Amino acid sequence: MLATDLSAGAFPTESHLDALSAALRLRGYAVLDNMLPPALVDALLADARGGQADFRPAATGRRARRRSNPFVRRDAIAWLEPQASAAQAAYLALMAALRSGLNRRLLLGLFSYEAQFSHYPDGAFYRKHYDAFRGERNRVLSTVLYLNPAWQSDDAGQLRVFDPADDTLELCCLLPHYGRLVVFLSEEFAHEVLPTRRSRYSIAGWFRLNSGALAAVPLSVPL
Ligand code: OGA
Ligand code: MN
């Protein structure tokens, strides 16, 4: 496949960035369907399925507290690496463009990005959680890209997002449709992956704050 196929479609354009920033300012999250080049989504799925990614059981917690907990999550994960394939390099480059475009529009101070493939076998789930470790303010903005062709409602595996004002209230429940990209403020939105009834692939990623800028950034994101 030609590298140009992977970046064709020019996402994110200035108008994509304007719309995404407006949604983040207003609601703190956005759902973008079919915005990425289809060849890129195809190639990422081929990587995930075809051994270009080294899947291991996912763990939760940081450092000494890090352990896998099958009651919390049952997916397997593999970090994206720019040198692993043209597709992974193209996806990370696209996210770098998103980072600088959002930094020009919002005062988020996004500095770096990391992403992992996750595979949820039939029956797997990820219980309700926040992506940001409280008090560390390290993950600012979360992204999830879904890689599942022809997903049906009966296949389940929805991403259930809770209301920041009351995290017992469901805000929306999103099927992991092929090419769907969900973006949300990491510290604001509790979310969970409902048990899937089919093998399910996604790429979860996080924009981090420049740790050197911590002291200079106000505690709540200006919305
Ligand atoms: C995560 C996550 C959501 C999904 O990996 O932190 O919430 O829908 N993933 O795969
Ligand atoms: Mn999450």
Side-chain angles (χ1 to χ4, degrees):
M1 181 177 307
L2 291 173
T4 49
D5 290 340
L6 299 177
S7 53
F11 177 84
T13 61
E14 293 298 305
S15 69
H16 288 131
L17 290 164
D18 288 343
L20 178 55
S21 318
L24 291 177
R25 216 181 265 121
L26 199 68
R27 302 184 307 179
Y29 78 100
V31 182
L32 310 175
D33 283 328
N34 300 315
M35 300 284 189
L36 272 66
L40 175 58
V41 185
D42 290 348
L44 290 166
L45 176 59
D47 270 18
R49 279 181 172 159
Q52 289 306 312
D54 178 19
F55 283 98
R56 286 145 201 258
T60 52
R62 301 216 93 184
R63 303 187 191 107
R65 294 173 155 219
R66 188 156 187 82
R67 48 185 55 92
S68 83
N69 182 342
F71 298 102
V72 175
R73 65 188 295 188
R74 300 237 170 135
D75 58 326
I77 60 123
W79 291 101
L80 271 73
E81 303 287 351
Q83 65 280 8
S85 72
Q88 292 177 43
Y91 187 66
L92 294 169
L94 186 149
M95 287 297 157
L98 207 59
R99 178 170 60 75
S100 61
L102 292 178
N103 276 342
R104 272 183 268 117
R105 290 166 173 80
L106 301 168
L107 298 174
L108 290 175
L110 307 177
F111 182 70
S112 61
Y113 182 75
E114 59 188 2
Q116 55 187 213
F117 289 103
S118 21
H119 177 232
Y120 291 73
D122 190 353
F125 53 78
Y126 190 169
R127 298 277 182 237
K128 188 171 174 181
H129 64 280
Y130 288 90
D131 284 347
F133 296 102
R134 291 277 156 180
E136 295 200 14
R137 303 185 57 245
N138 51 357
R139 290 170 169 176
V140 177
L141 194 66
S142 301
T143 63
V144 193
L145 174 69
Y146 296 106
L147 306 176
N148 309 294
W151 198 265
Q152 308 293 318
S153 338
D154 284 351
D155 297 330
Q158 294 93 337
L159 174 69
R160 199 168 171 223
V161 181
F162 294 89
D163 189 332
D166 177 352
D167 72 9
T168 64
L169 296 180
E170 179 185 309
L171 200 61
C172 60
C173 202
L174 303 162
L175 287 165
H177 286 306
Y178 197 70
R180 170 170 278 178
L181 179 68
V182 182
V183 183
F184 58 92
L185 294 172
S186 309
E187 288 191 341
E188 301 291 323
F189 293 90
H191 55 283
E192 70 180 322
V193 178
L194 297 178
T196 184
R197 298 202 190 110
R198 221 182 102 187
S199 172
R200 172 194 192 272
Y201 286 99
S202 56
I203 298 178
W206 303 277
F207 292 103
R208 288 173 175 278
L209 208 60
N210 177 1
S211 55
L214 263 178
V217 175
L219 257 173
S220 63
V221 175
L223 289 181

